[in-house]
Amino acid sequence: MLGNLPIGGGAPIAVQSMTNTDTLDTAATLKQVKQIQGHGADLVRISVPSIEAVDAFTKVRNAVEIPLIADIHFDYKIALATIEAGVDCLRINPGNIGKQDKIREVIHAAKDKGVPIRVGVNAGSLEKDLQKKYGEPNPLALVESAMRNIDYLDKFDMPDFKVSVKASDVMMAVEAYRILAKKIEQPLHIGITEAGGLRNGAVKSSMGLGVLLMEGIGDTLRVSLAADPVEEIKVGWDMLKGLRIRNRGINIIACPGCARQNFDVIQAVNQLENELEDIATPMDVAVIGCVVNGPGEAKESGIGLTGGKKESLIYMGGKAHKKVTNDNLVDELSKLVRDEVAKTIAKSK
Ligand code: SF4
């Protein structure tokens, strides 16, 4: 459990991101945590790079309900202070803390407060001796590093942990996770680290995490992008929605548009995505430019639109519902979606 959030053991795969504000800037960090949460994050990680940052972290902790993970390297005092501050999970590698008594103190403090630990191995920061042994980062080196850290947790009788073995190389990360999944029963946090910018990083992450998720590997995920953290959450959700693992918000099914399109499909889809971004209730909405694929897709979706010459046809629940003029179709569709969402919410109460 991370706070009230179950991880692993069949719980829904949790989507997370990490703030990129200066943690000392409490207002900016708090604002970003809320933005990330507003887009569907289940948990948020915050770097706590100094003992001074613990105060700021504590203020954020006290201002939000969402489970928070503190990202800490090397300094056991910061780890102890964030445990006291009410952190929900520590991302720390025991092997990096230093002497055994410090490691023991952190692990025992975490255990006493019911705070799980995330061991996070990264191909870019493998231990020197492992780099020497393997020559270069590879899946076995990542797993060996993870198992070393897990040994510390075992030694101090700490069973509540999750593990990540990330690399920017997709196949290296995938293979490392496959090996690790056979070795331990604890949850795995999956991600392709330093994946790149929005498009490149989303593609790499989708390939790597897609393979793992389809093999049943992964209990929490982060899409690491050199982009706004909110984009990480959106891409993470798109992956889970694409694989029908979890559902949230409006899932737009759209054709690419071609010479047959009866309205500007791309513009309509972009507008709808922006306008309906705040909705969390799951619903499939098809936006198709002409009758070639329109009726078929519309029948499979909660709401569907098929482009006609001057007027387009909206389907509801698979049946023709009403015609709308093409210059007004985004507004009409958007309104119908919101009405349906309101009905779904009312029914669920
Ligand atoms: S559904 Fe129609 S408009 Fe869309 S890509 Fe196919 S043929 Fe073109």
Side-chain angles (χ1 to χ4, degrees), residues 280-343:
T281 305
M283 185 180 294
D284 286 345
V285 176
V287 182
I288 309 293
C290 80
V291 292
V292 172
N293 292 319
E297 287 293 355
K299 280 180 185 149
E300 301 295 318
S301 306
I303 297 182
L305 178 135
T306 297
K309 281 280 172 246
K310 284 188 184 146
E311 289 182 319
S312 294
L313 184 57
I314 292 182
Y315 292 75
M316 301 275 290
K319 294 197 177 109
H321 175 69
K322 73 188 278 197
K323 284 187 173 171
V324 292
T325 55
N326 286 353
D327 53 7
N328 203 26
L329 61 85
V330 170
D331 289 349
E332 291 275 359
L333 200 52
S334 186
K335 187 175 170 311
L336 278 172
V337 170
R338 287 198 181 275
D339 289 349
E340 282 307 292
V341 165
K343 280 186 209 160

Coordinates of all heavy atoms in Angstrom, one line a residue, residues 280-343:
A280 N -13.3 12.5 -16.6 CA -12.6 11.3 -16.2 C -13.5 10.1 -16.5 O -13.0 9.0 -16.5 CB -12.4 11.4 -14.7
T281 N -14.8 10.3 -16.7 CA -15.7 9.1 -17.0 C -15.3 8.5 -18.3 O -15.2 9.2 -19.3 CB -17.1 9.6 -17.0 OG1 -17.4 10.3 -15.8 CG2 -18.1 8.5 -17.3
P282 N -15.1 7.2 -18.3 CA -14.7 6.6 -19.6 C -15.8 6.6 -20.7 O -17.0 6.3 -20.4 CB -14.4 5.1 -19.2 CG -14.3 5.1 -17.7 CD -15.2 6.2 -17.2
M283 N -15.5 6.9 -21.9 CA -16.4 6.9 -23.0 C -15.7 6.8 -24.3 O -14.7 7.6 -24.5 CB -17.4 8.1 -22.9 CG -18.5 8.0 -24.0 SD -19.6 9.4 -23.9 CE -20.3 9.2 -22.3
D284 N -16.1 6.0 -25.2 CA -15.5 6.0 -26.6 C -16.3 6.9 -27.5 O -17.5 6.9 -27.5 CB -15.6 4.5 -27.2 CG -14.6 3.6 -26.6 OD1 -13.6 4.1 -25.9 OD2 -14.7 2.4 -26.7
V285 N -15.6 7.8 -28.2 CA -16.2 8.7 -29.1 C -15.5 8.6 -30.4 O -14.3 8.8 -30.5 CB -16.1 10.2 -28.5 CG1 -16.7 11.2 -29.5 CG2 -16.8 10.3 -27.2
A286 N -16.3 8.2 -31.5 CA -15.7 8.1 -32.8 C -16.0 9.3 -33.6 O -17.1 9.9 -33.6 CB -16.4 6.9 -33.5
V287 N -14.9 9.7 -34.3 CA -15.0 10.9 -35.2 C -14.4 10.5 -36.5 O -13.2 10.4 -36.7 CB -14.2 12.1 -34.6 CG1 -14.3 13.3 -35.5 CG2 -14.6 12.4 -33.2
I288 N -15.3 10.3 -37.5 CA -14.9 9.7 -38.8 C -15.4 10.6 -39.9 O -16.5 11.1 -39.9 CB -15.5 8.3 -38.9 CG1 -15.3 7.4 -37.6 CG2 -15.0 7.6 -40.2 CD1 -13.8 7.0 -37.4
G289 N -14.5 10.8 -40.9 CA -14.7 11.8 -41.9 C -15.7 11.5 -42.9 O -16.2 12.4 -43.6
C290 N -16.1 10.2 -43.2 CA -17.1 9.9 -44.2 C -17.7 8.6 -43.9 O -17.4 7.9 -43.0 CB -16.4 9.9 -45.6 SG -15.5 8.4 -46.0
V291 N -18.6 8.2 -44.8 CA -19.4 7.0 -44.6 C -18.6 5.7 -44.8 O -19.1 4.6 -44.5 CB -20.7 6.9 -45.5 CG1 -21.7 8.0 -45.1 CG2 -20.3 7.0 -47.0
V292 N -17.4 5.8 -45.3 CA -16.7 4.5 -45.6 C -16.5 3.7 -44.3 O -16.9 2.6 -44.2 CB -15.3 4.8 -46.2 CG1 -14.5 3.5 -46.3 CG2 -15.5 5.4 -47.6
N293 N -16.0 4.4 -43.2 CA -15.8 3.7 -42.0 C -16.7 4.3 -40.8 O -16.7 3.7 -39.7 CB -14.4 3.8 -41.5 CG -13.5 2.9 -42.4 OD1 -13.9 1.8 -42.8 ND2 -12.3 3.5 -42.8
G294 N -17.4 5.4 -41.1 CA -18.1 6.1 -40.1 C -19.2 5.2 -39.4 O -19.1 5.0 -38.1
P295 N -20.2 4.7 -40.1 CA -21.2 4.0 -39.4 C -20.7 2.8 -38.6 O -21.2 2.5 -37.5 CB -22.1 3.5 -40.5 CG -21.9 4.5 -41.7 CD -20.4 4.8 -41.5
G296 N -19.7 2.1 -39.1 CA -19.2 0.9 -38.4 C -18.6 1.3 -37.1 O -18.8 0.7 -36.1
E297 N -17.7 2.3 -37.1 CA -17.0 2.8 -35.9 C -18.1 3.4 -34.9 O -18.0 3.1 -33.7 CB -16.0 3.8 -36.2 CG -14.7 3.3 -36.8 CD -13.9 2.3 -35.9 OE1 -14.2 2.2 -34.7 OE2 -12.9 1.7 -36.4
A298 N -19.0 4.1 -35.5 CA -20.0 4.8 -34.6 C -20.8 3.7 -33.8 O -21.2 3.9 -32.7 CB -21.0 5.6 -35.4
K299 N -21.1 2.6 -34.5 CA -21.9 1.5 -33.8 C -21.1 0.9 -32.6 O -21.7 0.4 -31.7 CB -22.3 0.5 -34.8 CG -23.5 1.0 -35.6 CD -24.0 0.0 -36.6 CE -25.1 0.7 -37.4 NZ -25.2 0.2 -38.8
E300 N -19.8 1.0 -32.7 CA -19.0 0.3 -31.6 C -18.7 1.3 -30.5 O -18.2 1.0 -29.5 CB -17.6 -0.1 -32.2 CG -17.7 -1.1 -33.3 CD -18.3 -2.5 -32.8 OE1 -17.9 -2.9 -31.7 OE2 -19.1 -3.0 -33.6
S301 N -19.1 2.6 -30.7 CA -18.8 3.6 -29.7 C -20.0 4.1 -28.9 O -21.1 4.0 -29.5 CB -18.1 4.8 -30.4 OG -17.0 4.3 -31.1
G302 N -19.8 4.7 -27.8 CA -20.9 5.3 -27.1 C -21.5 6.4 -27.9 O -22.8 6.5 -28.1
I303 N -20.7 7.3 -28.5 CA -21.2 8.3 -29.4 C -20.3 8.3 -30.6 O -19.0 8.2 -30.5 CB -21.1 9.7 -28.7 CG1 -22.0 9.8 -27.4 CG2 -21.4 10.8 -29.6 CD1 -22.0 11.1 -26.7
G304 N -20.9 8.5 -31.8 CA -20.0 8.5 -33.0 C -20.5 9.5 -33.9 O -21.7 9.9 -33.9
L305 N -19.6 10.0 -34.8 CA -20.0 11.0 -35.8 C -19.4 10.6 -37.1 O -18.3 10.2 -37.2 CB -19.5 12.4 -35.4 CG -19.8 13.5 -36.4 CD1 -20.3 14.7 -35.7 CD2 -18.5 13.8 -37.2
T306 N -20.3 10.6 -38.1 CA -19.9 10.3 -39.5 C -20.1 11.5 -40.4 O -21.2 12.0 -40.4 CB -20.8 9.1 -40.0 OG1 -20.6 8.0 -39.2 CG2 -20.4 8.8 -41.4
G307 N -19.0 11.9 -41.0 CA -19.1 13.1 -41.8 C -20.0 12.9 -43.1 O -19.8 11.9 -43.8
G308 N -20.9 13.9 -43.3 CA -21.7 13.9 -44.6 C -21.3 15.2 -45.3 O -20.6 16.0 -44.8
K309 N -21.9 15.4 -46.5 CA -21.5 16.5 -47.3 C -21.6 17.9 -46.6 O -20.7 18.6 -46.4 CB -22.4 16.6 -48.6 CG -21.9 15.6 -49.6 CD -20.7 16.1 -50.4 CE -20.1 15.1 -51.3 NZ -18.7 14.6 -50.9
K310 N -22.9 18.2 -46.2 CA -23.0 19.5 -45.4 C -23.4 19.2 -44.0 O -23.1 20.0 -43.1 CB -24.2 20.3 -46.1 CG -23.7 21.0 -47.4 CD -24.8 21.9 -47.8 CE -24.3 22.5 -49.2 NZ -25.4 22.7 -50.1
E311 N -24.0 18.1 -43.8 CA -24.4 17.7 -42.4 C -23.8 16.3 -42.1 O -23.6 15.5 -43.0 CB -25.9 17.6 -42.4 CG -26.6 18.9 -42.4 CD -28.1 18.7 -42.3 OE1 -28.7 17.7 -42.9 OE2 -28.8 19.5 -41.6
S312 N -23.4 16.2 -40.8 CA -22.9 14.9 -40.4 C -23.9 14.3 -39.5 O -24.7 14.9 -38.9 CB -21.5 15.2 -39.6 OG -20.6 15.7 -40.5
L313 N -23.7 12.9 -39.4 CA -24.7 12.2 -38.6 C -24.1 11.7 -37.3 O -23.0 11.1 -37.3 CB -25.2 11.0 -39.4 CG -26.3 10.1 -38.8 CD1 -27.6 10.9 -38.5 CD2 -26.6 9.0 -39.7
I314 N -24.8 12.0 -36.2 CA -24.3 11.6 -34.9 C -25.1 10.3 -34.5 O -26.3 10.3 -34.6 CB -24.5 12.7 -33.8 CG1 -23.6 13.9 -34.1 CG2 -24.2 12.2 -32.4 CD1 -23.6 15.0 -33.1
Y315 N -24.3 9.4 -34.0 CA -24.9 8.1 -33.5 C -24.8 8.1 -32.0 O -23.8 8.5 -31.4 CB -24.2 6.9 -34.0 CG -24.3 6.7 -35.5 CD1 -23.6 7.5 -36.4 CD2 -25.1 5.6 -36.0 CE1 -23.7 7.3 -37.8 CE2 -25.2 5.4 -37.4 CZ -24.5 6.2 -38.3 OH -24.6 6.0 -39.6
M316 N -25.8 7.6 -31.3 CA -25.8 7.4 -29.9 C -26.1 5.9 -29.6 O -27.1 5.4 -30.1 CB -26.8 8.3 -29.2 CG -26.7 9.7 -29.4 SD -25.6 10.5 -28.3 CE -26.4 10.5 -26.8
G317 N -25.2 5.3 -28.8 CA -25.4 3.9 -28.5 C -25.6 3.0 -29.8 O -26.4 2.1 -29.8
G318 N -24.9 3.4 -30.8 CA -24.9 2.6 -32.1 C -26.1 3.0 -33.0 O -26.2 2.4 -34.1
K319 N -27.0 3.8 -32.6 CA -28.1 4.2 -33.5 C -28.1 5.6 -33.9 O -27.6 6.5 -33.2 CB -29.5 4.0 -32.7 CG -29.7 2.6 -32.3 CD -31.2 2.4 -32.0 CE -31.4 0.9 -31.7 NZ -31.7 0.6 -30.3
A320 N -28.5 5.9 -35.2 CA -28.6 7.3 -35.7 C -29.4 8.1 -34.7 O -30.5 7.8 -34.3 CB -29.2 7.3 -37.1
H321 N -28.8 9.3 -34.3 CA -29.4 10.1 -33.3 C -29.9 11.5 -33.9 O -31.0 11.8 -33.8 CB -28.5 10.3 -32.2 CG -29.0 11.3 -31.1 ND1 -30.0 10.9 -30.3 CD2 -28.6 12.5 -30.8 CE1 -30.2 12.0 -29.5 NE2 -29.4 12.9 -29.7
K322 N -29.0 12.2 -34.5 CA -29.3 13.5 -35.1 C -28.3 13.9 -36.1 O -27.2 13.5 -36.1 CB -29.6 14.5 -34.0 CG -28.3 15.1 -33.4 CD -28.6 16.0 -32.2 CE -28.9 17.4 -32.6 NZ -28.7 18.3 -31.5
K323 N -28.8 14.8 -37.0 CA -27.9 15.4 -38.0 C -27.4 16.8 -37.5 O -28.2 17.5 -36.9 CB -28.5 15.6 -39.3 CG -28.7 14.3 -40.1 CD -29.2 14.6 -41.5 CE -29.2 13.3 -42.3 NZ -29.9 13.4 -43.6
V324 N -26.2 17.1 -37.7 CA -25.6 18.4 -37.3 C -24.9 19.1 -38.5 O -24.3 18.3 -39.3 CB -24.7 18.3 -36.1 CG1 -25.4 17.9 -34.9 CG2 -23.5 17.4 -36.4
T325 N -25.0 20.4 -38.6 CA -24.2 21.0 -39.7 C -22.7 20.9 -39.4 O -22.3 20.9 -38.3 CB -24.6 22.5 -39.8 OG1 -24.4 23.1 -38.5 CG2 -26.1 22.7 -40.2
N326 N -22.0 20.8 -40.5 CA -20.5 20.6 -40.3 C -19.8 21.7 -39.7 O -18.7 21.5 -39.1 CB -19.9 20.3 -41.7 CG -20.3 18.9 -42.1 OD1 -20.9 18.1 -41.4 ND2 -19.9 18.5 -43.4
D327 N -20.3 22.9 -39.8 CA -19.6 24.0 -39.1 C -19.9 24.1 -37.6 O -19.4 24.9 -36.9 CB -19.9 25.4 -39.8 CG -21.4 25.7 -39.9 OD1 -22.2 24.9 -39.4 OD2 -21.8 26.7 -40.6
N328 N -20.8 23.2 -37.2 CA -21.1 23.2 -35.7 C -20.9 21.9 -35.1 O -21.3 21.7 -33.9 CB -22.6 23.6 -35.7 CG -23.0 24.2 -34.4 OD1 -22.2 24.7 -33.7 ND2 -24.3 24.0 -34.0
L329 N -20.2 21.0 -35.8 CA -20.2 19.6 -35.2 C -19.4 19.4 -33.9 O -19.8 18.6 -33.1 CB -19.8 18.6 -36.3 CG -18.4 18.7 -37.0 CD1 -17.4 17.9 -36.2 CD2 -18.5 18.0 -38.4
V330 N -18.4 20.2 -33.8 CA -17.6 20.0 -32.5 C -18.4 20.4 -31.3 O -18.4 19.7 -30.3 CB -16.2 20.8 -32.6 CG1 -15.5 20.8 -31.3 CG2 -15.3 20.2 -33.7
D331 N -19.1 21.5 -31.4 CA -19.9 22.0 -30.3 C -21.0 21.0 -30.0 O -21.3 20.7 -28.8 CB -20.5 23.4 -30.6 CG -19.5 24.5 -30.6 OD1 -18.3 24.2 -30.2 OD2 -19.8 25.6 -31.1
E332 N -21.7 20.6 -31.0 CA -22.8 19.6 -30.8 C -22.3 18.3 -30.2 O -22.9 17.8 -29.2 CB -23.4 19.3 -32.2 CG -24.2 20.4 -32.8 CD -25.6 20.5 -32.3 OE1 -26.0 19.7 -31.5 OE2 -26.3 21.5 -32.7
L333 N -21.2 17.8 -30.7 CA -20.7 16.5 -30.2 C -20.2 16.7 -28.8 O -20.5 15.9 -27.9 CB -19.5 16.1 -31.1 CG -19.1 14.7 -31.1 CD1 -20.2 13.8 -31.3 CD2 -18.0 14.4 -32.1
S334 N -19.5 17.8 -28.5 CA -19.0 18.1 -27.2 C -20.2 18.2 -26.2 O -20.1 17.6 -25.1 CB -18.3 19.4 -27.3 OG -17.7 19.7 -26.2
K335 N -21.2 18.8 -26.6 CA -22.4 19.0 -25.7 C -23.0 17.6 -25.4 O -23.3 17.2 -24.2 CB -23.4 19.9 -26.3 CG -24.5 20.3 -25.3 CD -25.5 21.3 -25.9 CE -26.7 21.5 -25.1 NZ -27.4 20.2 -24.7
L336 N -23.2 16.8 -26.4 CA -23.8 15.5 -26.2 C -22.9 14.6 -25.3 O -23.4 13.9 -24.5 CB -23.9 14.8 -27.6 CG -25.2 15.2 -28.4 CD1 -25.1 14.6 -29.8 CD2 -26.5 14.7 -27.7
V337 N -21.6 14.7 -25.5 CA -20.7 13.9 -24.7 C -20.9 14.3 -23.2 O -21.0 13.5 -22.3 CB -19.2 14.1 -25.1 CG1 -18.3 13.5 -24.1 CG2 -19.0 13.4 -26.5
R338 N -20.9 15.6 -23.0 CA -21.0 16.1 -21.6 C -22.4 15.6 -21.0 O -22.5 15.3 -19.8 CB -20.9 17.6 -21.5 CG -19.4 18.0 -21.7 CD -19.1 19.4 -21.2 NE -17.7 19.7 -21.5 CZ -16.7 19.3 -20.7 NH1 -17.0 18.7 -19.5 NH2 -15.5 19.6 -21.0
D339 N -23.5 15.7 -21.8 CA -24.8 15.2 -21.3 C -24.7 13.8 -20.9 O -25.2 13.3 -19.9 CB -25.8 15.4 -22.4 CG -26.2 16.9 -22.6 OD1 -25.7 17.7 -21.8 OD2 -26.9 17.2 -23.6
E340 N -24.1 12.9 -21.8 CA -24.0 11.5 -21.5 C -23.2 11.2 -20.3 O -23.5 10.4 -19.5 CB -23.4 10.8 -22.7 CG -24.4 10.5 -23.9 CD -25.7 9.9 -23.4 OE1 -25.6 8.7 -23.0 OE2 -26.7 10.5 -23.5
V341 N -22.1 12.0 -20.2 CA -21.2 11.8 -19.0 C -22.0 12.1 -17.7 O -21.9 11.4 -16.7 CB -19.9 12.7 -19.1 CG1 -19.2 12.8 -17.8 CG2 -19.0 12.1 -20.2
A342 N -22.8 13.2 -17.8 CA -23.5 13.6 -16.6 C -24.5 12.6 -16.2 O -24.7 12.2 -15.0 CB -24.3 15.0 -16.9
K343 N -25.2 11.9 -17.3 CA -26.2 10.9 -17.0 C -25.4 9.6 -16.3 O -26.0 9.0 -15.4 CB -26.8 10.4 -18.3 CG -27.9 11.3 -18.8 CD -28.6 10.7 -20.0 CE -29.1 11.8 -20.9 NZ -29.4 11.3 -22.3

